Amino acid sequence: MHHICIRLFFVVIILFSLQVHTAETASAATATSTPTVMTTHDAVAVEKRVREYFADIPVMIEIARCESKFRQFTDSGSVLRGGGNAGMVGIFQFYEIIHKKAALALGFDIDTVEGNLGYARHLYTQSGHTPWASCVPDVIPVATTLSTANKELQIKLLTQVLGLLQELLKMELARR
């Protein structure tokens, strides 16, 4: 039984380190990406920046798609405004009357690409995807998909954990 517990422990450690390594790799890529001051109204360039910035939080990429189709600016170069009374701003469609002052107090100008992204990350850290509740049902299935290789490895490791747990249960039942 002790041998099975040790094997189970190592399988769980491997699963955990796979998750941590994947998250650290994505975070490192995001942290080392050089912020650029974007004033372009080219949605393709903005989408690329969103994908770089939120490589570690895929759900935010899908929320940006849902909220603005990756647009910070209109075709004429003005800051994108949407919602009732055009009160929502930029990529993540922040309600200006609520978020503008709070964002500025934290050093984020939501009228800019980098400010909109930075404030979105701050809000996500504080509240998860709750501020974008209207988009979440549409984006969760897309954002939570794993690469096929990671998915196959996780399935294999979880199958091993399940097998070990079944062995432990059999041994415990036999002891009684």
Side-chain angles (χ1 to χ4, degrees), residues 49-97:
R49 182 63 187 131
V50 169
R51 289 183 179 285
E52 290 170 354
Y53 192 85
F54 285 109
D56 59 329
I57 313 173
V59 71
M60 293 302 287
I61 297 167
E62 297 306 320
I63 288 171
R65 176 193 319 278
C66 174
E67 288 289 347
S68 67
K69 295 181 180 66
F70 301 108
R71 294 176 304 143
Q72 176 69 22
F73 304 102
T74 64
D75 290 340
S76 66
S78 302
V79 174
L80 178 70
R81 298 194 177 277
N85 298 325
M88 309 296 234
V89 177
I91 302 164
F92 285 94
Q93 291 292 282
F94 294 116
Y95 194 45
E96 187 172 35
I97 199 164

Side-chain angles (χ1 to χ4, degrees), residues 30 63 88 98 148:
T30 302
I63 288 171
M88 309 296 234
I98 294 173
T148 303

